[in-house]
Amino acid sequence: MLIAHLSDAHIGPLPAPRLRELAGKRVTGWMNWRRGRAQTHDMEALARIRADIHAHAPDHIALTGDVVNIGLTAEFPAARAFVETLGPPDQVSFTPGNHDAYVRSALAPLRQYLGPWMSSDAGEAPGPVDGFPFLRRRAGVAFVGLCSGVPTLPFLASGRLGARQLAAAEAMLAQLRAERLCRVVLIHHPPHVGGAGPGRGLTDAGAFARMIARVGAELVLHGHNHVISLARIPGPDGAVPILGAPSASAMAGMHNHLAGYHLIRVTPDGVRSRLTAETRGFRDGQREMVQNLPPVADGGRLDPLP
């Protein structure tokens, strides 16, 4: 199976908000967009990332959050239109980020517009927290979608899973292990301790790590930091790789913030699944799409990224 993993598209331009919509946290988000994000996130680059993904004809696409910016209702139609261009719900799995759940009033349009891409397969029981975790089975691979995007106070970008979602995920991963499926966990925030700075991390990363130590997973995919990263946490069958994607639209700022995505090849065989990965995207100062990291693999474990 070939999986494309992208994240943090931050679809623009941002529609003009009504004055009442800028109450609270959205004021700072609107100012951040005007001061820099509008120039950082390049929709032409995002379109070229999408075209490159389609050129490789992946079997499934994982999108790990932040398709909008400040959670305006008017942002979600454009976000849905973008997700539709990636593929139909049975070919694309989406899990929300902190910008998608920026404020409480964003949760209803998030579910309304993107619900089909963040739901379990027909016949699978929905998760206990607004349908999360969701479960999708594809040719020996099980995608387990977790929601870490929750409304937070101004100047915070942290995430949380909560005890009920974690317990449901543990039971799900244990059952999938017994079924000898390759388990790929999707989440927006880096789910390991120290994976993001103060006020930006997953508040229950320790609980997530303890859960994985008990039941394991073959791969965890996340976004949020806008950089390529690889970490590992202990699992019952060996270290579990946690692969972070860059922003799929960023074309300004530091060189390691440039737009890109992962291609992951999986030979599913339960806990003995083999995985290889490469990152494609843009190099600093260039507008041509390149494979900007070599393939990484090691007998079922992802090698460290250079």
Side-chain angles (χ1 to χ4, degrees), residues 5 64 185 187 190-192 219-223 227-232 240-246 262-264 276-279 293 296 302-303 305:
H5 170 219
T64 52
V185 177
I187 185 172
H192 53 292
L219 179 63
V220 181
L221 301 177
H222 73 86
V227 294
I228 303 160
S229 63
L230 179 63
R232 292 186 176 87
V240 176
I242 299 177
L243 186 60
H262 298 306
L263 281 174
I264 302 151
T276 65
E278 66 182 63
T279 305
L293 287 175
V296 290
L302 289 170
D303 273 346
L305 299 178

Side-chain angles (χ1 to χ4, degrees), residues 27-101:
V27 173
T28 57
W30 172 250
M31 292 174 63
N32 286 339
W33 177 264
R34 296 291 298 272
R35 288 175 177 174
R37 281 187 177 270
Q39 289 73 47
T40 296
H41 295 287
D42 185 326
M43 296 304 102
E44 178 187 345
L46 179 62
R48 295 177 66 186
I49 291 284
R50 179 186 61 211
D52 198 71
I53 289 173
H54 286 315
H56 285 82
D59 299 293
H60 202 73
I61 297 174
L63 176 58
T64 52
D66 280 3
V67 289
V68 302
N69 297 284
I70 60 174
L72 295 170
T73 299
E75 289 185 84
F76 285 98
R80 178 180 175 121
F82 168 72
V83 177
E84 285 177 334
T85 66
L86 289 178
D90 65 325
Q91 295 176 15
V92 179
S93 295
F94 170 75
T95 190
N98 54 294
H99 283 266
D100 306 312

Side-chain angles (χ1 to χ4, degrees), residues 68-148:
V68 302
N69 297 284
I70 60 174
L72 295 170
T73 299
E75 289 185 84
F76 285 98
R80 178 180 175 121
F82 168 72
V83 177
E84 285 177 334
T85 66
L86 289 178
D90 65 325
Q91 295 176 15
V92 179
S93 295
F94 170 75
T95 190
N98 54 294
H99 283 266
D100 306 312
Y102 206 69
V103 293
R104 293 193 182 279
S105 61
L107 301 181
L110 169 64
R111 175 59 64 177
Q112 175 188 350
Y113 286 95
L114 296 174
W117 287 268
M118 53 183 191
S119 301
S120 292
D121 287 333
E124 300 287 357
V129 183
D130 197 24
F132 290 95
F134 67 67
L135 172 59
R136 296 171 160 209
R137 304 167 190 261
R138 302 288 184 274
V141 177
F143 294 93
V144 176
L146 303 180
C147 180
S148 63

Side-chain angles (χ1 to χ4, degrees), residues 233-287:
I233 56 177
D237 306 295
V240 176
I242 299 177
L243 186 60
S247 165
S249 64
M251 290 298 287
M254 294 184 293
H255 71 279
N256 61 348
H257 279 86
L258 297 187
Y261 73 98
H262 298 306
L263 281 174
I264 302 151
R265 292 172 176 82
V266 180
T267 304
D269 185 19
V271 298
R272 293 187 295 273
S273 298
R274 295 181 60 87
L275 303 98
T276 65
E278 66 182 63
T279 305
R280 292 183 58 82
F282 296 95
R283 290 189 189 275
D284 195 16
Q286 299 182 14
R287 301 290 299 191

